[in-house]
């Protein structure tokens, strides 16, 4: 290139581009011609917030990390998080895996595919049900059977059939094998919704993962962080966690309870003790007395021992365990499972003084002098009565003493209870079911036919007993008389002949309060020669001296405590049924909380 050409290019060159400043633009405005997307087009998402639980599974599976869970200001129900997915369309590859795995089916894709903006923030978008531009575009890609990513069916648990299991008190739920447990654990999507609902906030997805990885020692470690009675809870926990399990929205909830049982049943007690003892964190050198060896007392003892406290439990009965030992029947909770849990707790140095009734063998004032703090976990032990005419008859008995008698008899430690030809159980809760199913077994073991009738105010749908208890009871031959209010025990020549009942038209009033109404003209007599009342229990505070009792605050028979289980008397803590409802896992959570509260109180 000569000098003239170089001058021409460098001086005039830029001016050639300037002429396009005044030319007609050649950029085509989009959309010039809108093209309809295909029926299963993967366009922008929509999300039905009414269905979406904020589980975050879509976010976890996203291969391009395009989905973030963002806090939102909404009211939530148990089993929901106040979070919703937001999608970064700068990263989204429109693969649709989020839609395939969405646990509730709330997330879908539309056929909308155009979004133009010079604001990059608008490409990060939290879909709601009307789409990115709120224009209700037609739905495009949705999951179908072939693209389902969740395993919706629970691994079946082997159980002895109803007609066979009613012949004995053998535990009829067999437990998972290793292969079954791993397959069941693989169904969990690690959303943690169950953890939020569990009263003890157990690390559920963490211990489920240890089953999947076949690392049960680690599973024991996770479990004992929040629950020192896992052999019990793995069998009889009310498992509210499963009610909110993400997989349960479109399929069967993960069998959380059975997986916990699997970990504990498969780990020898000596291994569990090693794990539990590794956790002792400090030596506190102070003494704590616990009254009652039920779930809350044992849990408090375990966590206090971990903190180095010297713990003594005072138990009125000859064996430890409270309702777990003397209430829940053996076919649901064998002694061996409870013994294993208690052996681990005692391995930390917890002393259990059996046959020692506070208020009789030792007073609360004495405990106050000898110990630095006292925890009350005495439970609900007094049965309530309907007080209808005839309940004074000797063959109208209370549920709890009967269940205790049955358990003692089966251990070879007590007399055989009277086994009637025809039994009526009044009540619709789990205790009523425990009595009915236990007595059905005793009838069969005596060579009789099952003849047990459950009478309750509630409809079948309203019955407070766990659904599985009702279903299993029916399989065992128990008959149900729902919506019946007992009005009189029929006695002829000194013998019970039956129970007169009237129709219960409603159990609760418009404010949700227990206020049953009856149709007195609708009368049915249910035949039977013995009646068990199982309509609820109340606490027995007779061991509390009046002077202390007057300083405590009560609400509807329960002791008021603060967030640390501390009563209005600073050295006195309480938990379990006398604070919350009758539920083992709530008792365990109370015991744990109170242990932390006692530690805090003693270190002020
Ligand atoms: S997977 Fe479905 S339910 Fe869960 S957060 Fe994502 S959109 Fe919501
Ligand atoms: S058990 Fe269910 S609720 Fe719990 S983390 Fe797994 S999928 Fe979520």
């Amino acid at each position: 290139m000569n000098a003239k050409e170089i001058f021409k290019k460098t001086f005039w060159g830029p001016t050639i581009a300037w002429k396009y400043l005044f030319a007609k633009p050649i950029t085509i405005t989009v959309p010039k011609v809108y093209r309809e997307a295909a029926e299963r087009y993967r366009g922008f998402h929509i999300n039905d917030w009414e269905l979406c639980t904020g589980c975050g599974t879509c976010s976890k599976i996203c291969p391009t990390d395009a989905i973030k869970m963002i806090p939102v200001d909404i009211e939530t129900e148990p089993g929901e998080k106040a979070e919703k997915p937001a999608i970064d369309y700068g990263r989204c590859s429109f693969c649709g895996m989020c839609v395939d795995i969405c646990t509730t089916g709330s997330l879908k894709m539309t056929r909308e595919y155009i979004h133009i903006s010079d604001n990059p923030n608008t490409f990060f978008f939290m879909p709601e049900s009307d789409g990115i531009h709120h224009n209700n575009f037609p739905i495009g890609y949705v999951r179908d059977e072939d693209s389902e990513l969740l395993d919706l069916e629970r691994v079946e648990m082997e159980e002895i059939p109803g007609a066979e299991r009613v012949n004995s008190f053998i535990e009829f739920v067999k437990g998972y094998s290793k292969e079954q447990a791993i397959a069941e654990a693989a169904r969990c999507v690690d959303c943690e919704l169950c953890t939020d609902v569990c009263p003890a906030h157990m690390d559920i997805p963490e211990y489920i993962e240890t089953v999947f990885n076949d690392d049960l020692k680690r599973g024991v470690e996770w479990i004992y962080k929040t629950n020192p009675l896992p052999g019990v809870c793995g069998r009889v926990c009310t498992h509210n966690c499963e009610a909110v399990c993400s997989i349960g929205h479109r399929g069967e909830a993960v069998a959380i309870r059975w997986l916990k049982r699997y970990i504990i049943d498969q780990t020898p007690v000596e291994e569990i003790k090693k794990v539990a003892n590794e956790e002792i964190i400090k030596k506190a050198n102070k003494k704590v007395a616990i009254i009652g060896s039920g779930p809350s007392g044992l849990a408090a003892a375990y966590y206090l021992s971990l903190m180095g406290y010297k713990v003594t439990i005072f138990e009125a009965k000859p064996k430890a365990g409270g309702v777990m030992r003397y209430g829940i029947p053996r076919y649901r909770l064998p002694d061996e499972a409870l013994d294993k849990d208690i052996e681990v707790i005692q391995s930390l140095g917890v002393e259990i003084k059996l046959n020692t009734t506070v208020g009789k063998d030792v007073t609360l004032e004495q405990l106050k002098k000898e110990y630095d703090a006292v925890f009350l976990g005495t439970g609900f032990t007094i049965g309530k009565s309907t007080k209808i005419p005839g309940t004074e008859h000797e063959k109208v008995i209370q549920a709890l003493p009967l269940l205790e008698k049955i358990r003692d008899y089966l251990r070879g430690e007590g007399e055989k209870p009277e086994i009637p030809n025809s039994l009526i159980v009044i009540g619709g809760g789990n205790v009523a079911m425990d009595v009915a199913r236990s007595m059905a077994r005793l009838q069969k073991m005596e060579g009789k036919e099952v003849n047990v009738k459950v009478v309750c105010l509630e409809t079948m749908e309203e019955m407070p007993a766990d659904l599985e208890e009702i279903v299993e009871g029916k399989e065992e031959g128990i008959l149900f008389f729902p919506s019946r209010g007992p009005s009189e025990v029929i006695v002829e020549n000194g013998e019970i002949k039956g129970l007169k009942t009237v129709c219960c038209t409603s159990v609760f009033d418009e404010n949700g309060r227990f206020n049953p109404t009856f149709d007195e003209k609708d009368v049915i007599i249910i035949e039977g020669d013995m009646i068990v009342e199982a309509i609820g229990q109340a606490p027995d505070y007779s061991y509390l001296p009046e002077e202390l009792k007057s300083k405590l605050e009560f609400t509807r028979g329960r002791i008021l405590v603060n967030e640390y289980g501390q009563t209005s008397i600073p050295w006195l803590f309480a938990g379990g049924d006398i604070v919350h409802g009758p539920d083992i896992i709530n008792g365990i959570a109370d015991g744990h909380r109170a242990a932390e509260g006692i530690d805090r109180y003693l270190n002020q």
Side-chain angles (χ1 to χ4, degrees), residues 563-575:
E563 63 196 294
Y564 293 104
Q566 190 172 32
T567 68
S568 38
I569 300 171
W571 54 270
L572 195 59
F573 293 73

Side-chain angles (χ1 to χ4, degrees), residues 2-3 23-24 98 118 140 145 205 353 481 503 572 576:
N2 59 32
K24 196 176 169 200
C98 51
D118 54 5
E145 263 180 36
K353 289 196 177 191
F481 292 80
C503 176
L572 195 59

Side-chain angles (χ1 to χ4, degrees), residues 266-563:
Q266 298 306 314
T267 310
V269 68
E270 293 306 323
E271 287 298 313
I272 301 177
K273 281 188 203 170
K274 271 190 221 153
V275 171
N277 280 276
E278 269 169 18
E279 295 285 319
I280 296 179
I281 46 178
K282 67 178 178 190
K283 284 278 159 231
N285 245 348
K286 286 189 177 162
K287 295 197 311 181
V288 180
I290 290 176
I291 307 177
S293 65
S296 66
L298 286 171
Y302 176 79
Y303 291 108
L304 284 164
S305 299
L306 284 187
M307 292 185 260
Y309 291 96
K310 175 87 189 82
V311 180
T312 307
I313 300 178
F314 295 85
E315 170 55 58
K317 302 274 186 205
K319 285 189 184 296
V323 67
M324 302 175 288
R325 179 78 66 187
Y326 291 99
I328 300 170
R330 200 162 113 173
Y331 58 86
R332 291 215 285 140
L333 178 58
D335 279 332
E336 301 73 41
L338 175 59
D339 289 341
K340 189 173 174 181
D341 286 350
I342 294 178
E343 191 179 332
V344 174
I345 293 169
Q346 286 187 294
S347 75
L348 269 69
V350 173
E351 184 188 6
I352 305 179
K353 289 196 177 191
L354 300 169
N355 297 307
T356 309
T357 305
V358 175
K360 194 174 109 202
D361 302 312
V362 59
T363 65
L364 201 51
E365 288 94 336
Q366 279 173 291
L367 296 185
K368 158 76 180 104
K369 278 191 198 128
E370 287 176 32
Y371 294 85
D372 298 287
V374 178
F375 174 81
L376 310 177
T378 46
F380 275 21
T381 52
I382 300 176
K384 292 183 184 167
S385 172
T386 56
K387 297 197 173 127
I388 56 173
T391 44
E392 63 286 349
H393 194 283
E394 61 177 5
K395 286 194 182 171
V396 178
I397 56 176
Q398 279 293 326
L400 287 187
L402 176 61
L403 287 170
E404 184 175 334
K405 200 167 183 182
I406 294 170
R407 288 217 62 167
D408 279 344
Y409 166 63
L410 294 170
R411 276 185 213 112
E413 294 172 359
E415 286 176 11
K416 181 159 68 171
E418 183 173 348
I419 303 164
N421 290 327
S422 175
L423 176 75
I424 298 168
V425 182
I426 304 175
N430 282 337
V431 173
M433 294 308 305
D434 285 345
V435 170
R437 297 179 67 189
S438 294
M439 291 304 278
R441 281 164 170 75
L442 288 174
Q443 285 178 329
K444 285 296 274 184
M445 286 160 71
E446 281 281 289
K448 300 177 180 181
E449 285 307 307
V450 172
N451 189 337
V452 179
K453 296 144 188 167
V454 172
V455 179
C456 61
L457 296 175
E458 298 87 356
T459 62
M460 287 305 285
E461 293 71 36
E462 288 170 338
M463 275 178 74
D466 293 346
L467 182 61
E468 66 190 9
E469 286 284 320
I470 298 168
V471 171
E472 288 165 3
K474 279 185 184 171
E475 288 168 2
E476 291 163 9
I478 290 159
L479 298 178
F480 289 83
F481 292 80
S483 300
R484 303 305 306 174
S487 61
E488 186 185 344
V489 177
I490 309 288
V491 181
E492 285 174 21
N493 301 323
E495 296 292 323
I496 290 179
K497 294 293 172 194
L499 182 71
K500 186 175 170 187
T501 66
V502 292
C503 176
C504 177
T505 47
S506 72
V507 183
F508 302 100
D509 63 20
E510 62 275 8
N511 299 318
R513 276 195 294 262
F514 181 73
N515 188 12
T517 54
F518 301 98
D519 176 359
E520 305 284 345
K521 290 194 200 112
D522 180 346
V523 177
I524 293 179
I525 303 217
I526 298 164
E527 289 181 6
D529 45 32
M530 182 172 159
I531 293 174
V532 179
E533 293 190 290
I535 59 164
Q537 294 80 42
D540 177 3
Y541 294 128
S542 59
Y543 62 92
L544 284 175
E546 272 313 313
E547 192 248 326
L548 281 183
K549 203 169 165 189
S550 64
K551 290 183 187 155
L552 291 172
E553 292 174 69
F554 292 87
T555 171
R556 302 175 78 185
R558 295 197 152 99
I559 298 175
L560 269 181
V561 297
N562 67 12
E563 63 196 294

Side-chain angles (χ1 to χ4, degrees), residues 46-48 51-59 67 69 83-85 98-99 101-108 193 246 249:
I46 54 167
N47 189 19
D48 183 347
L51 290 177
C52 173
T53 55
C55 71
T57 310
C58 48
S59 167
I67 304 180
M69 298 304 293
E83 292 180 359
K84 299 291 170 202
C98 51
V99 173
I101 205 161
C102 175
T103 56
T104 61
S106 66
L107 197 64
K108 298 182 173 75
L193 291 180
S246 285
H249 286 280

Side-chain angles (χ1 to χ4, degrees), residues 50-55 57 77-81 101-106 143 148 150 152 187 189 191 193 241-254:
E50 291 290 314
L51 290 177
C52 173
T53 55
C55 71
T57 310
E77 299 281 328
E80 291 174 4
K81 286 185 198 166
I101 205 161
C102 175
T103 56
T104 61
S106 66
R143 178 192 46 247
E148 176 66 75
L150 297 177
L152 298 174
R187 300 175 62 228
V189 293
C191 67
L193 291 180
C241 51
E242 292 180 19
V244 303
C245 174
S246 285
I247 308 299
H249 286 280
R250 297 193 289 108
E252 293 174 296
V254 174

